[in-house]
Amino acid sequence: MNITETVEGLVLKSGVREGLCLVNAMHITASVFINDNESGLLHDYEVWLEKLAPHEPVAQYHHNRTGEDNADAHMKRQLMGREVVVAITKGKLDFGPWEQIFYGEFDGRRPKRVLVKVIGE
Amino acid sequence: MNITETVEGLVLKSGVREGLCLVNAMHITASVFINDNESGLLHDYEVWLEKLAPHEPVAQYHHNRTGEDNADAHMKRQLMGREVVVAITKGKLDFGPWEQIFYGEFDGRRPKRVLVKVIGE
Amino acid sequence: MNITETVEGLVLKSGVREGLCLVNAMHITASVFINDNESGLLHDYEVWLEKLAPHEPVAQYHHNRTGEDNADAHMKRQLMGREVVVAITKGKLDFGPWEQIFYGEFDGRRPKRVLVKVIGE
C-alpha cells in the first residue's frame, strides 16, 4: 500500500520546514519501506520473500506452537525493515527519484496502523 | 536480550516529551531490532539466520582470511539491522502492540554495548 | 564506497554538537550501510547478495518486463538497507569500534547521490 501522499499531508500539516520524519509500522509482522511504485516489482518482492522466509511448512517454526501461523511474517518484516527516516527540506519530504513510501503487511489479519513522527522547526 | 526497560529508563531520565530515540548496536556483528518477546520466535530467528548466512564452511568467506571466523555474523547483522528509531510521545516510547527492543549478538565474543540517543524537547 | 569522511566533514560544517545525522541513498537500487572497512568482507557481501537475490535469470522478475534488468538490485538494496541514522555527540559521529559508512550501488548505471541531513543543536 503506497502511503506517500498521507505522509506528505502530515508533514505539510506539521509546519516543519527542516527536520526528520519517522514512519514506522506499528505491527511486528509488517514493514514500512521505500522503493519503486511499480506493480511488477511489488509482485517480485512477495515471491522473493516467500522464497527466503517460506510460510510452509508451518511446523518448521517454534513460534507457531503458540497457536499462531505467522512466524514467517516476522522474518519477512525484518528483511523489509520496520521503519524509514526521511529528511524534510523546505517543508517537503526530501526524496530521490522514484522514492515512494510503502506499508507492507505480511500477516494480513490486522487493521493497518502506521506511526508518523515529524521533528524539526 | 530484551533491552526495552533500559531504553525506557533512559528516555524518562532525559525528560524529553516529544522527540525521537535512536538505539543502535555499537558492534558491527550485532543488531538492535524490534519484534515480539516470544522465545519460540527468537529461536526461529537464529535458525533462519543460520540458513541465510551460514557460519560453515568458514573458508567460504574472504573476510575470514584475516584470521577471524565471523563473516557470517556481519551478514546476519545486515539482515536484522543495525538500529531502530522510535518516536517519543508524551514522554514515552510510542510503541505498537507487542513491540519490544532487542539486542542481538551474532559473534558472541564481545561485551555488549548499545548507544541510546534521545532528541526532542 | 566508503563515505565516512565526507559525512564527518558535513557534520563538522553543520556546527551541530548534539543531534542525529541521517544518511540515505537517493536511489532505490542502492544502500547506505554501516559495517567494517575490510575488502574481504565487502567482497563477501557481493557474493552473498548475489546468492540471496540473483541477477539471473533476468526473466524470473516481473519488474524486468518494464525493459529494465535490475529487479535483483531492488532486492539487494532492501537486504542492506536504505539509510543509517547516527548519533552526534560533542560535534562528532558517535561510532562504535570499526563502524564506517558505505554507499553500495547494486545497479551500477547511475551517478551516485547520497543525502546527509543533520539535526540538533
Side-chain angles (χ1 to χ4, degrees), chain C residues 3-117:
Chain C
I3 59 173
T4 313
E5 277 187 37
T6 306
V7 178
E8 284 173 335
L10 291 167
V11 168
L12 197 65
K13 203 173 148 191
S14 76
V16 167
R17 300 283 301 164
E18 297 293 324
L20 294 179
C21 177
L22 165 71
V23 188
N24 70 262
M26 298 199 80
H27 303 288
I28 52 187
T29 55
S31 287
V32 169
F33 63 95
I34 286 181
N35 221 298
D36 196 0
N37 188 22
E38 196 278 303
S39 62
L41 182 65
L42 298 175
H43 165 87
D44 292 335
Y45 276 134
E46 284 185 37
V47 173
W48 177 71
L49 289 169
E50 191 58 34
K51 203 165 62 177
L52 293 189
H55 183 66
E56 302 278 357
V58 166
Q60 77 188 288
Y61 301 110
H62 286 199
H63 180 58
N64 291 339
R65 296 179 187 171
T66 61
E68 299 197 87
D69 70 347
N70 65 2
D72 61 301
H74 291 274
M75 272 77 190
K76 286 163 177 149
R77 128 48 173 261
Q78 289 303 128
L79 292 176
M80 295 300 280
R82 168 186 177 263
E83 80 220 6
V84 295
V85 179
V86 185
I88 301 170
T89 303
K90 295 180 187 161
K92 290 196 170 163
L93 292 170
D94 198 342
F95 277 139
W98 312 112
E99 285 196 312
Q100 296 277 298
I101 308 176
F102 291 89
Y103 177 88
E105 171 61 60
F106 308 116
D107 189 9
R109 293 182 306 196
R110 295 171 206 282
K112 284 138 187 58
R113 272 210 313 155
V114 167
L115 181 151
V116 180
K117 190 87 183 182

Side-chain angles (χ1 to χ4, degrees), chain B residues 1 10-11 19 23 25 30-31 63 67 73 78-79 83 95 102 108 114-115:
Chain B
M1 180 181 297
L10 290 167
V11 169
V23 188
S31 287
H63 180 58
Q78 289 303 127
L79 292 176
E83 78 220 7
F95 277 139
F102 290 89
V114 166
L115 182 151

Side-chain angles (χ1 to χ4, degrees), chain A residues 18 20 34-36 38 41 43-45 48 79-80 84-85 87-89 94-99 119, chain C residues 22 25-28 52-53 60-63 66 71 74-75 77-79 82-83 85 113 115 117 119:
Chain A
E18 297 294 323
L20 294 179
I34 286 181
N35 221 298
D36 197 0
E38 197 278 302
L41 181 65
H43 166 87
D44 292 336
Y45 276 134
W48 177 70
L79 292 176
M80 295 300 279
V84 294
V85 179
I88 300 170
T89 303
D94 199 341
F95 277 139
W98 313 112
E99 284 196 312
I119 66 164
Chain C
L22 165 71
M26 298 199 80
H27 303 288
I28 52 187
L52 293 189
Q60 77 188 288
Y61 301 110
H62 286 199
H63 180 58
T66 61
H74 291 274
M75 272 77 190
R77 128 48 173 261
Q78 289 303 128
L79 292 176
R82 168 186 177 263
E83 80 220 6
V85 179
R113 272 210 313 155
L115 181 151
K117 190 87 183 182
I119 65 164

